[in-house]
Amino acid sequence: WAAGCLDGGIVKGDDDAESCAATFKNYPDVMACLEATKEEAEIGGAGAGGNFYTSRVLDRGPLFPGDAEKFMAPAGPVTLLGDAAHPVIPSFGQGANLALEDAAELAIAMAGRGKTQSAASVLRAWERSRLERTAQAQIASFISGSKSYGEAKFAEAMRLSGISLDALARHKERFSDANSTQQWLIGWTPSAGTAARVKGLDPKAALRLAIRAANEAPSRRSALIAATATGLASTFGTLSSAEASEETVNTGDRYTGDGFTMLLPKDWTATEAIGVSRSTVEVFAPGRTEPVAIMVKEPTFTMGGGGAGGAGSVYTSPENFGLYIAGTRRGSLRTSREVGGAVGGAFVAEGVGEDDKSPWVELIAIGCRGGEAAKKYNLLQTVRLTASFAGGADVEAIEGVRAIVNSFELSAGTTCA
């Protein structure tokens, strides 16, 4: 099994196993897998962390158009594309997308090369045309991936990132939040004046276009696949607490999320750490420093059409959802129901844990994200809310969570059709 765990600088953990445990403490099925792995390692004499292999996620400082002359070979028919040229951490889901854009734009640039133009000059122009966009995607990925960092950790990450404070400030001025950045990224179209070249092309036709571009200069075919700029290290500094946090806090009344709404009990608060590939909402009861419920939003991938939505597209009924959750918690199901107002599409299950006295509440909903781009690109999301109450004595918190899930609605609908 594999999992993306936060490192010990973000969560409290003395080793990789403990960091993973802190990351997934609200996911019983993952915790069960983690415990089984630790037990197997101890039985085999490897120690609690002996069966874990860790691979760190790394990126590199962004290159901007103004850096092109300094970091790119001016005369060489050589370039890089994708993560080799502008690596991004996976928190924003843009690595493969940018590589595909690079490939399309490179094919267009080479196909349109005049007889008197050298391959090197075309490649330099293509590189400059791409760097502003790829740099903004790299910065957005860094911001999204650092949402869970505290102030000190964020400042240290900034120091090591290669992103200058000036570049970060310009990015934030241009994009008010992660959603506006995503709208800009997914709204990409091929370069101005050349859209007709690639409109409607199937993969085989696109490949023929790339081959034709390569064959225009047979002696330089290797120029189309090669290497370019290495990373840029900027001058950086520390960051204030205001810059380190971009969370949205709603207090009381109706909470409006991306494609959903829910009612919060009086004086309850919800704090959202906004991401694109994954966002988290922590719900707090009055006077509590620890969340009583945690909501996670993640993309739901479908094929074709508008895509089936609603919790029923994954679980055939609220009862089946509840039985699955009860099984992962090694507990029992007490009640299940569908919620979501007139639209529906959300299942709620309630039960007790293995001790037969600690209540839990879970919700799952599948629906479209908000905004026109979500409809256009079929951006379905899965929303999960989990809450557990050890011992069962916290009646007020249990009733508050129950009120929240009963009021939950998919404001953008169960599908993007």
Side-chain angles (χ1 to χ4, degrees):
W1 61 277
C5 302
L6 299 174
D7 66 37
I10 305 168
V11 296
K12 293 181 180 179
D14 296 328
D15 54 34
D16 293 332
E18 292 304 317
S19 295
C20 279
T23 302
F24 293 102
K25 62 182 179 181
N26 294 308
Y27 294 82
D29 47 349
V30 179
M31 292 300 294
C33 188
L34 184 63
E35 287 301 317
T37 304
K38 292 166 65 177
E39 290 172 6
E40 181 181 292
E42 290 169 351
I43 292 171
N51 276 16
F52 288 90
Y53 170 77
T54 302
S55 178
R56 302 296 179 193
V57 176
L58 304 173
D59 61 356
R60 190 174 65 225
L63 288 168
F64 292 92
D67 304 314
E69 298 300 326
K70 182 178 179 181
F71 287 93
M72 296 174 184
V78 177
T79 193
L80 282 183
L81 53 76
D83 275 355
H86 39 74
V88 292
I89 56 177
S91 59
F92 214 69
Q94 287 300 314
N97 294 348
L98 293 174
L100 290 169
E101 290 180 17
D102 284 348
E105 292 289 358
L106 180 57
I108 291 169
M110 296 304 292
R113 178 165 64 97
K115 292 183 178 180
T116 60
Q117 287 182 289
S118 69
S121 66
V122 174
L123 291 175
R124 296 298 83 75
W126 168 75
E127 290 160 354
R128 284 190 292 272
S129 72
R130 293 293 299 157
L131 288 180
E132 177 61 28
R133 181 174 178 82
T134 58
Q136 297 306 325
Q138 287 177 280
I139 295 173
S141 296
F142 171 81
I143 294 173
S144 178
S146 60
K147 289 296 181 182
S148 56
Y149 292 8
E151 179 182 352
K153 177 66 178 177
F154 189 88
E156 175 65 8
M158 271 294 295
R159 190 185 70 79
L160 298 171
S161 69
I163 301 172
S164 69
L165 291 176
D166 184 55
L168 181 65
R170 291 198 306 269
H171 177 88
K172 290 183 176 181
E173 183 178 351
R174 183 174 180 179
F175 302 106
S176 58
D177 54 33
N179 286 330
S180 63
T181 315
Q182 189 199 39
Q183 296 290 326
W184 176 70
L185 286 168
I186 66 178
W188 172 81
T189 56
S191 53
T194 59
R197 293 176 183 264
V198 294
K199 184 179 180 181
L201 286 182
D202 60 31
K204 290 183 179 179
L207 180 60
R208 288 196 298 271
L209 176 62
I211 292 173
R212 188 185 77 189
N215 286 339
E216 285 185 357
S219 63
R220 295 188 176 183
R221 290 180 72 172
S222 61
L224 296 177
I225 309 171
T228 191
T230 56
L232 168 67
S234 300
T235 303
F236 20 161
T238 57
L239 203 64
S240 69
S241 58
E243 291 170 313
S245 175
E246 290 193 357
E247 296 180 330
T248 302
V249 179
N250 284 254
T251 304
D253 203 8
R254 180 166 292 279
Y255 179 92
T256 301
D258 182 10
F260 70 93
T261 65
M262 58 188 181
L263 290 173
L264 297 177
K266 188 178 186 320
D267 295 327
W268 284 48
T269 60
T271 303
E272 182 171 7
I274 301 173
V276 174
S277 58
R278 189 177 190 272
S279 298
T280 303
V281 179
E282 294 184 334
V283 180
F284 296 84
R288 308 291 181 90
T289 58
E290 294 293 327
V292 296
I294 295 177
M295 177 178 286
V296 176
K297 303 181 297 175
E298 297 178 302
T300 301
F301 299 101
T302 61
M303 296 295 290
S313 63
V314 176
Y315 300 97
T316 56
S317 68
E319 182 182 15
N320 282 342
F321 167 64
L323 290 172
Y324 170 77
I325 297 301
T328 63
R329 288 179 173 272
R330 297 184 175 87
S332 58
L333 176 67
R334 292 292 175 84
T335 182
S336 61
R337 58 194 178 277
E338 183 171 9
V339 299
V343 174
F347 292 167
V348 173
E350 297 185 39
V352 291
E354 193 173 10
D355 61 2
D356 207 32
K357 62 180 181 180
S358 297
W360 52 261
V361 180
E362 293 211 18
L363 171 145
I364 185 173
I366 299 176
C368 196
R369 295 186 57 175
E372 289 303 313
K375 298 288 185 183
K376 181 178 180 180
Y377 296 102
N378 190 31
L379 301 181
L380 283 174
Q381 65 178 346
T382 298
V383 181
R384 286 182 177 271
L385 181 144
T386 62
S388 302
F389 306 93
D394 205 342
V395 177
E396 182 180 354
I398 296 171
E399 289 301 320
V401 171
R402 186 173 289 137
I404 290 172
V405 298
N406 286 341
S407 69
F408 183 92
E409 293 186 12
L410 290 167
S411 57
T414 58
T415 75
C416 296

